Amino acid sequence: MQYEAICTSCKKPFKLVEGEEQYKLMKERKSHLFYCDDCKHKIRFDAIRNFFRYY
């Protein structure tokens, strides 16, 4: 079973597959902010880069 969500960042639809953390959040409606794998990677990389910029 899977859900289809729209990425909050790039506004493209993507699928949430059963067993993923975002799938669980969608099923329980605990969060309305979902990110595709590409955007999650970009956000994580930017956070790491900004962290090391100050040290």
Side-chain angles (χ1 to χ4, degrees), residues 38-54:
D38 292 336
C39 291
K40 276 196 299 190
H41 179 71
K42 288 177 189 175
I43 291 168
R44 184 174 179 269
F45 184 73
D46 287 343
I48 291 169
R49 187 175 49 199
N50 286 335
F51 176 78
F52 286 114
R53 182 179 295 169
Y54 296 109

Side-chain angles (χ1 to χ4, degrees), residues 7-32:
C7 179
T8 304
S9 182
C10 67
K11 308 296 185 211
K12 294 180 183 176
F14 67 100
K15 295 186 183 204
L16 300 172
V17 181
E18 189 172 4
E20 294 180 348
E21 182 66 27
Q22 288 192 46
Y23 176 88
K24 181 180 176 185
L25 293 173
M26 174 72 128
K27 188 174 179 183
E28 296 174 356
R29 300 280 188 222
K30 289 188 177 180
S31 177
H32 297 283

